[in-house]
Amino acid sequence: MNPCPCGHLGDPRQACQCTAAQIQRYQSRLSGPLLDRIDLQIEVPALPPEQLTSREVGESSAVVRARVMAARQRQYARGALNAHLGGRELEAACALSTADRAWLAGVLERLRLSARAYHRVLRVALTLADLAEKPHPERGELMEAIGYRQLDRQLRQG
Ligand SMILES: [Zn+2]
């Protein structure tokens, strides 16, 4: 989605023409329950043209594919894809340390994220651990997973 009706909110190269009330009305159309269900919310700023045409290449699709296939393999070996784990199975697979569990509960409460968001954060963190070939998520994966709920955090604190 665009950040605002004109699409330029936060764009360093072109000023946003919207009023605060327009922006508020636009963003509030995304309800909390809907946002809860979107696991990866990331701000993607407009790229400067010179970067769009840059020849610098990132990882090849083949390399990324191999990493994703390996992560799915780990999930099948555990019994099911992360997407299909129920709440209890998910918590068992994550095997969070007592300290990490308490930390996560505190962060979610401070961010006013819902109970549903808790399991969704766990699911993303577990997938990050699978991609990194770690046995289970730790603080770094939890932080990254929470980081992907950017819009959720902005709107709830807004
Ligand atoms: Zn705007």
Side-chain angles (χ1 to χ4, degrees):
M1 64 179 277
N2 279 331
C4 66
C6 86
H8 291 292
L9 184 65
D11 183 343
R13 289 167 310 131
Q14 198 165 339
C16 167
Q17 307 290 326
C18 310
T19 64
Q22 281 175 319
I23 293 168
Q24 164 82 40
R25 198 172 332 119
Y26 177 81
Q27 293 191 343
S28 68
R29 280 193 290 175
L30 268 184
S31 71
L34 177 65
L35 266 184
D36 272 354
R37 293 174 164 82
I38 302 176
D39 289 337
L40 306 179
Q41 309 156 7
I42 302 163
E43 188 176 344
V44 184
L47 278 182
E50 62 274 15
Q51 219 166 315
L52 275 177
T53 54
S54 144
R55 286 169 179 256
E56 213 172 292
V57 289
E59 280 183 302
S60 75
S61 294
V63 169
V64 176
R65 180 176 192 276
R67 191 162 64 235
V68 170
M69 295 304 284
R72 286 173 69 88
Q73 216 44 57
R74 291 177 79 90
Q75 297 176 22
Y76 282 126
R78 205 159 45 223
L81 290 176
N82 294 351
H84 301 148
L85 294 179
R88 199 166 296 178
E89 297 163 312
L90 187 60
E91 291 193 40
C94 283
L96 293 188
S97 69
T98 310
D100 281 348
R101 188 170 318 135
W103 176 85
L104 179 59
V107 170
L108 293 182
E109 191 181 328
R110 213 162 18 191
L111 295 174
R112 292 187 247 159
L113 292 181
S114 68
R116 190 189 297 126
Y118 172 75
H119 281 122
R120 303 192 76 90
V121 165
L122 280 187
R123 203 180 309 275
V124 171
L126 181 59
T127 301
L128 291 170
D130 288 333
L131 286 167
E133 298 180 20
K134 296 173 79 169
H136 66 94
E138 294 174 338
R139 193 72 57 97
E141 287 76 33
L142 294 174
M143 288 173 78
E144 187 174 347
I146 292 167
Y148 290 138
R149 307 200 70 86
Q150 200 172 62
L151 197 55
D152 223 356
R153 300 188 328 243
Q154 276 170 16
L155 296 185
R156 277 164 211 273
Q157 285 157 70

Short mmCIF file of all heavy atoms in Angstrom, two decimals, residues 2-10 14-19 22-23, ligand 1:
data_model
loop_
_atom_site.label_atom_id
_atom_site.label_comp_id
_atom_site.label_asym_id
_atom_site.label_seq_id
_atom_site.Cartn_x
_atom_site.Cartn_y
_atom_site.Cartn_z
N ASN A 2 0.33 2.35 -0.45
CA ASN A 2 1.02 3.63 -0.34
C ASN A 2 0.92 4.12 1.10
O ASN A 2 0.01 3.75 1.83
CB ASN A 2 0.37 4.66 -1.27
CG ASN A 2 0.86 4.50 -2.69
OD1 ASN A 2 1.98 4.06 -2.94
ND2 ASN A 2 0.01 4.84 -3.64
N PRO A 3 1.87 4.96 1.52
CA PRO A 3 1.83 5.47 2.90
C PRO A 3 0.71 6.49 3.12
O PRO A 3 0.32 6.76 4.25
CB PRO A 3 3.20 6.10 3.09
CG PRO A 3 3.65 6.45 1.71
CD PRO A 3 3.05 5.43 0.79
N CYS A 4 0.21 7.09 2.05
CA CYS A 4 -0.82 8.12 2.16
C CYS A 4 -1.52 8.21 0.80
O CYS A 4 -1.06 7.61 -0.16
CB CYS A 4 -0.16 9.46 2.51
SG CYS A 4 0.91 10.07 1.18
N PRO A 5 -2.62 8.97 0.71
CA PRO A 5 -3.35 9.01 -0.58
C PRO A 5 -2.49 9.46 -1.77
O PRO A 5 -2.62 8.90 -2.86
CB PRO A 5 -4.49 10.00 -0.31
CG PRO A 5 -4.72 9.92 1.16
CD PRO A 5 -3.37 9.67 1.77
N CYS A 6 -1.60 10.43 -1.59
CA CYS A 6 -0.80 10.88 -2.74
C CYS A 6 0.42 10.00 -2.97
O CYS A 6 1.04 10.03 -4.03
CB CYS A 6 -0.39 12.35 -2.60
SG CYS A 6 1.11 12.62 -1.64
N GLY A 7 0.80 9.22 -1.95
CA GLY A 7 1.89 8.27 -2.11
C GLY A 7 3.28 8.80 -1.79
O GLY A 7 4.26 8.07 -1.88
N HIS A 8 3.39 10.06 -1.36
CA HIS A 8 4.73 10.63 -1.16
C HIS A 8 5.12 10.86 0.29
O HIS A 8 6.18 11.45 0.55
CB HIS A 8 4.86 11.93 -1.97
CG HIS A 8 4.87 11.68 -3.44
ND1 HIS A 8 5.90 11.03 -4.08
CD2 HIS A 8 3.96 11.96 -4.40
CE1 HIS A 8 5.63 10.93 -5.37
NE2 HIS A 8 4.45 11.48 -5.59
N LEU A 9 4.28 10.44 1.22
CA LEU A 9 4.63 10.61 2.63
C LEU A 9 5.98 9.93 2.90
O LEU A 9 6.15 8.75 2.60
CB LEU A 9 3.53 10.01 3.52
CG LEU A 9 3.72 10.19 5.03
CD1 LEU A 9 3.66 11.65 5.42
CD2 LEU A 9 2.66 9.40 5.79
N GLY A 10 6.95 10.67 3.44
CA GLY A 10 8.26 10.10 3.75
C GLY A 10 9.20 10.05 2.55
O GLY A 10 10.34 9.61 2.67
N GLN A 14 10.01 14.15 -3.07
CA GLN A 14 8.76 14.83 -3.45
C GLN A 14 7.87 15.00 -2.23
O GLN A 14 7.65 14.05 -1.48
CB GLN A 14 8.05 14.02 -4.53
CG GLN A 14 7.02 14.84 -5.28
CD GLN A 14 6.60 14.15 -6.56
OE1 GLN A 14 7.31 13.29 -7.07
NE2 GLN A 14 5.45 14.51 -7.07
N ALA A 15 7.38 16.21 -2.04
CA ALA A 15 6.61 16.49 -0.83
C ALA A 15 5.22 15.87 -0.90
O ALA A 15 4.60 15.82 -1.96
CB ALA A 15 6.49 18.00 -0.64
N CYS A 16 4.78 15.38 0.24
CA CYS A 16 3.42 14.84 0.37
C CYS A 16 2.42 15.99 0.38
O CYS A 16 2.64 17.02 1.02
CB CYS A 16 3.34 14.05 1.68
SG CYS A 16 1.68 13.60 2.20
N GLN A 17 1.32 15.82 -0.36
CA GLN A 17 0.31 16.88 -0.48
C GLN A 17 -0.87 16.67 0.48
O GLN A 17 -1.80 17.47 0.48
CB GLN A 17 -0.26 16.91 -1.91
CG GLN A 17 0.78 17.01 -3.01
CD GLN A 17 1.46 18.36 -3.04
OE1 GLN A 17 0.85 19.37 -2.74
NE2 GLN A 17 2.75 18.37 -3.35
N CYS A 18 -0.82 15.60 1.25
CA CYS A 18 -1.99 15.24 2.05
C CYS A 18 -2.04 16.01 3.38
O CYS A 18 -1.01 16.37 3.92
CB CYS A 18 -1.99 13.75 2.34
SG CYS A 18 -1.72 12.75 0.88
N THR A 19 -3.25 16.19 3.88
CA THR A 19 -3.40 16.76 5.22
C THR A 19 -3.27 15.64 6.23
O THR A 19 -3.42 14.46 5.90
CB THR A 19 -4.79 17.41 5.39
OG1 THR A 19 -5.77 16.37 5.30
CG2 THR A 19 -5.06 18.45 4.32
N GLN A 22 -6.32 13.53 6.26
CA GLN A 22 -6.42 12.58 5.13
C GLN A 22 -5.56 11.35 5.38
O GLN A 22 -5.96 10.23 5.10
CB GLN A 22 -5.95 13.26 3.84
CG GLN A 22 -6.99 14.18 3.21
CD GLN A 22 -6.41 14.92 2.01
OE1 GLN A 22 -5.26 15.37 2.04
NE2 GLN A 22 -7.20 15.04 0.97
N ILE A 23 -4.34 11.60 5.90
CA ILE A 23 -3.42 10.49 6.16
C ILE A 23 -4.01 9.57 7.22
O ILE A 23 -4.01 8.35 7.08
CB ILE A 23 -2.04 11.02 6.59
CG1 ILE A 23 -1.39 11.76 5.42
CG2 ILE A 23 -1.15 9.89 7.07
CD1 ILE A 23 -0.16 12.58 5.80
ZN ZN B 1 0.54 12.24 0.71
#
